């Protein structure tokens, strides 16, 4: 990011001086921030939110980037957040920007619009901000320079670099890189990563640690003293990785050791859960393909990391202007190919500047300035600029540097540069049903995969020790992704000791990630609030829907499976899984404050649901949530509820009777329909 518009200050010297209010501080999360506000800024004016690139040094002075002065001169305030995570900060960066926005509102005023702007990793953070539903309404445009939009694929490339090096240099004395703890020896241990790396390309700690690369390849030695073996191994690594520039190859090796290892092992990132893999990748080198270590990602870790890191294109009607350098071999220009695939053409200007010497984000000040001005005009209602118009505009701007926008440059696909992995599972209605961890019997999830790539999950469990409720249940509304489902927000309905609702009847609880290794097995990762903790558990299938087993294909007839509720009893309802024509699982979820029942209960209905049937629902108590879960403590309470149920296709009726209580009639309406089932007639 330091190379972006390196001389822009010279261009700004002719601008008139102005009064600027400066604020610095530290947010409750620990992130440092900087804010600059021009004289005359008022609530409703614009705010540029600057995102810096990947940084391993102490992030206590985040700065405001190369557009600071020009944005202030144009009446924008500008703010920048440091990140509490060193290196790959995507897992927290958007939340830390939202925290900074709240500080800005408190100390300055409410902005009328946001313009996220950044380069390299910061360009991706800017795009991820545009995907956030709480920020999206305030954003009209994003300026993203050399963003690694296909982030998980970039880390696939990083893993390839490390594993290819280990294979090519395996037999070279003193040429092997450090190894870490099993089962991931290709990742450094945390104590082998210096605490404060100032520059991954130049830091002496990195140079010292990567001395073995020189021993194997001669990469930092003059050509005249490199051995034939060094030349052959270096040429082979360049051929395998596609990285031709030697400096870039060394930089990529540094990233694939220090940064990738930090992502895997650091407690504030994946904490030892592996999202990386190369199963199915073919490297066009028969010896390497047969000898390279094969790594299998953990399903839920892969889903979580990809969801938090990858740009998905869910940006509403926001306009994006993105520029890349053609010779970048760290964040390769194929990321622009992915950006073009994911963003509607009428909302994207994707441009590449053609270089004679390779660089990472090596834009001239004129190129950067014209990109900024073009985005401003476009987001405010002007015509969408073309790449040719960017070039013409650049040539008309005074300042240092070249103008190299090339409207003939077409980036190749990412798979053409980085070997694709085995295709992940397609998650659809076949995955509907109940799932559990066999070591935690009594607790589990009821999963509903819905049409349109959505999903609902009910997590039926127990309260933590010391809380008044004996049972707990959370509900998540998620999005189906390759290999699993991401539930970015899950909700909880806490109650007081007497069963009445707590102060917040529905409370954001945390996140769920589900990843599948096959149609019958997977993982659940939860990240809850204080007192609930975070954990990954294996999942095994308990049930499947009628006609939707693992071997099924196509669409099956309409059935009762799905969620049902009585609008007069909002917050409570039923999850139903129809097994066949005569049996169905029924789970009832009772909200705090309900006159019916608080908690969850389940039973298997025998009989024709359309004709009406009665079932006894059992409640379960005993265990406590979290690491101390004890399945031996499970106590079944049969007959906690009696249910008479009669269902049509979209409506039905029920009578619910709590043990010792009155009968409660319910007029039911369908809430959800399973994917791969036909709609009701």
């Amino acid at each position: 990011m330091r190379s972006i518009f390196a001389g822009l200050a010279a261009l700004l010297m002719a601008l008139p001086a102005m009064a600027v209010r400066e604020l610095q501080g530290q947010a409750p999360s620990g992130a440092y921030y900087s804010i600059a506000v021009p004289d005359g800024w008022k609530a409703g004016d614009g705010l540029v939110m600057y995102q810096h690139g990947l940084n391993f040094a102490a992030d206590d002075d985040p700065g405001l980037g190369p557009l600071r002065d020009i944005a202030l001169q144009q009446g924008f305030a500008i703010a920048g957040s440091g990140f509490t995570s060193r290196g790959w900060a995507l897992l927290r960066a958007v939340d830390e920007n939202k925290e900074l926005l709240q500080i800005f509102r408190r100390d300055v005023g409410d902005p009328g619009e946001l313009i996220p702007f950044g380069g390299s990793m910061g360009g991706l953070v800017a795009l991820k901000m545009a995907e956030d539903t709480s920020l999206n309404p305030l954003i009209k445009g994003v300026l993203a320079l050399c963003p690694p939009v296909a982030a998980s694929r970039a880390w696939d490339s990083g893993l390839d670099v490390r594993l290819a090096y280990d294979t090519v240099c395996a037999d070279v004395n003193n040429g092997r890189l450090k190894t870490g703890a099993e089962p991931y020896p290709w990742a450094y241990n945390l104590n082998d990563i210096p605490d404060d790396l100032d520059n991954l390309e130049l830091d002496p700690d990195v140079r010292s640690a990567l001395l073995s690369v020189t021993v194997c390849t001669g990469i930092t030695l003059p050509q005249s003293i490199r051995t034939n073996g060094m030349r052959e191994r270096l040429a082979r690594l360049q051929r395998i990785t596609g990285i031709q520039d030697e400096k870039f190859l060394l930089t990529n090796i540094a990233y694939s050791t220090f940064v990738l290892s930090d992502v895997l092992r650091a407690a504030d990132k994946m904490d030892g859960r592996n999202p990386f893999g190369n199963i199915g990748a073919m490297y066009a080198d028969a010896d390497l393909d047969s000898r390279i270590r094969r790594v299998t990602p953990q399903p839920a870790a892969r889903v979580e990391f990809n969801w938090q890191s990858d740009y998905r294109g869910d940006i509403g009607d926001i306009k994006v202007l993105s520029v890349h350098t053609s010779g970048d071999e760290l964040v390769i220009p194929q990321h622009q190919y992915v950006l073009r695939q994911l963003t509607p053409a009428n909302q994207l200007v994707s441009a590449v500047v053609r270089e004679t010497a390779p660089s990472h984000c090596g834009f001239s000040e004129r190129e950067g300035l014209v990109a900024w001005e073009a985005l401003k005009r476009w987001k405010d209602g002007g015509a969408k600029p073309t790449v040719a118009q960017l070039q013409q505009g650049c040539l008309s701007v005074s300042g240092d540097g070249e103008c190299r926008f090339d409207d003939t440059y077409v980036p190749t696909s990412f798979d053409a540069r980085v070997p694709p992995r085995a295709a992940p599972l397609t998650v659809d209605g076949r995955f509907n049903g109940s799932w559990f961890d066999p070591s935690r019997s009594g607790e589990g999830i009821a999963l509903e995969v819905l049409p349109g790539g959505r999903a609902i999950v009910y997590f039926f469990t127990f309260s933590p020790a010391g809380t008044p409720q004996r049972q707990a249940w959370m509900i998540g509304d998620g999005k189906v992704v390759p290999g699993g489902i991401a539930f970015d927000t899950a909700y909880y309905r806490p109650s007081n000791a007497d069963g009445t609702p707590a102060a917040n009847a529905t409370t954001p609880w945390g996140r769920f990630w589900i990843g599948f290794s096959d149609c019958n097995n997977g993982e659940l990762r939860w990240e809850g609030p204080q007192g609930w903790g975070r954990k990954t558990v294996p999942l095994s299938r308990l049930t499947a829907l009628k006609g939707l087993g693992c071997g099924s294909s196509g669409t099956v007839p309409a059935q009762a499976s799905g969620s049902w509720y009585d609008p007069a009893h909002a917050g409570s309802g039923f999850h139903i899984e129809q097994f066949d024509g005569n049996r169905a699982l029924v789970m009832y979820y009772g909200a705090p404050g309900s006159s019916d029942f608080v908690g969850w209960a389940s039973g298997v209905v025998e009989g024709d649901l359309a004709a009406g049937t009665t079932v006894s629902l059992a409640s379960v108590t005993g265990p406590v949530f979290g690491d101390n879960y004890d399945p031996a403590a499970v106590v079944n309470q049969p007959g906690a509820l009696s249910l008479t149920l009669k269902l049509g296709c979209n409506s039905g009726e029920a009578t619910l009777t709590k043990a010792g209580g009155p009968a409660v009639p319910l007029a039911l309406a369908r809430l959800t329909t399973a994917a791969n089932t036909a709609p009701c007639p």
Side-chain angles (χ1 to χ4, degrees), residues 379-460:
K379 75 175 180 62
D380 288 335
K384 174 187 170 183
T386 66
V387 177
Q389 288 169 338
L390 291 177
Q391 177 68 4
Q392 294 168 3
C394 181
L395 292 170
S396 69
V397 174
S398 60
D400 292 336
E402 300 176 281
C403 293
R404 303 162 294 170
F405 292 99
D406 184 354
D407 62 356
T408 68
Y409 187 99
V410 179
T412 59
S413 73
F414 213 98
D415 286 351
R417 176 65 185 271
V418 178
R421 276 54 185 158
L425 291 172
T426 298
V427 177
D428 55 22
R430 294 170 299 167
F431 289 79
N432 281 14
S434 295
W435 300 71
F436 82 126
D437 173 2
S439 70
R440 300 171 69 93
S441 180
E443 171 189 79
I445 64 170
L447 180 62
E448 298 182 11
V449 180
L450 310 177
R454 286 185 55 234
I456 297 290
V457 66
Y458 299 95
F459 184 11
F460 52 94

Side-chain angles (χ1 to χ4, degrees), residues 590-607:
S594 166
S595 61
D596 315 331
F597 183 81
V598 177
W600 50 270
S602 62
V604 174
V605 171
E606 299 278 353

Side-chain angles (χ1 to χ4, degrees), residues 250-269:
L250 193 62
T251 298
N252 275 272
I253 293 174
Y255 271 76
S256 69
T257 51
F258 292 102
V259 185
L260 182 142
S261 301
D262 182 70
V263 172
L264 173 70
R265 299 201 186 272
D268 62 348
K269 300 183 183 71

Side-chain angles (χ1 to χ4, degrees), residues 303-304 307 445 457-459 473-478 485-491 509-514 524-528 625:
V303 169
E304 176 186 354
W307 178 264
I445 64 170
V457 66
Y458 299 95
F459 184 11
W473 57 276
M474 285 73 79
I475 182 171
D477 182 1
I485 310 169
F487 298 91
D488 219 13
T489 304
Y491 294 92
W509 182 85
R511 297 171 173 173
F512 298 130
W513 321 97
I514 300 176
L524 167 68
R525 171 73 175 178
W526 69 72
E527 296 184 357
F625 183 83

Side-chain angles (χ1 to χ4, degrees), residues 585-597:
L585 171 71
V586 177
M587 296 198 71
Y588 175 75
Y589 296 92
S594 166
S595 61
D596 315 331
F597 183 81

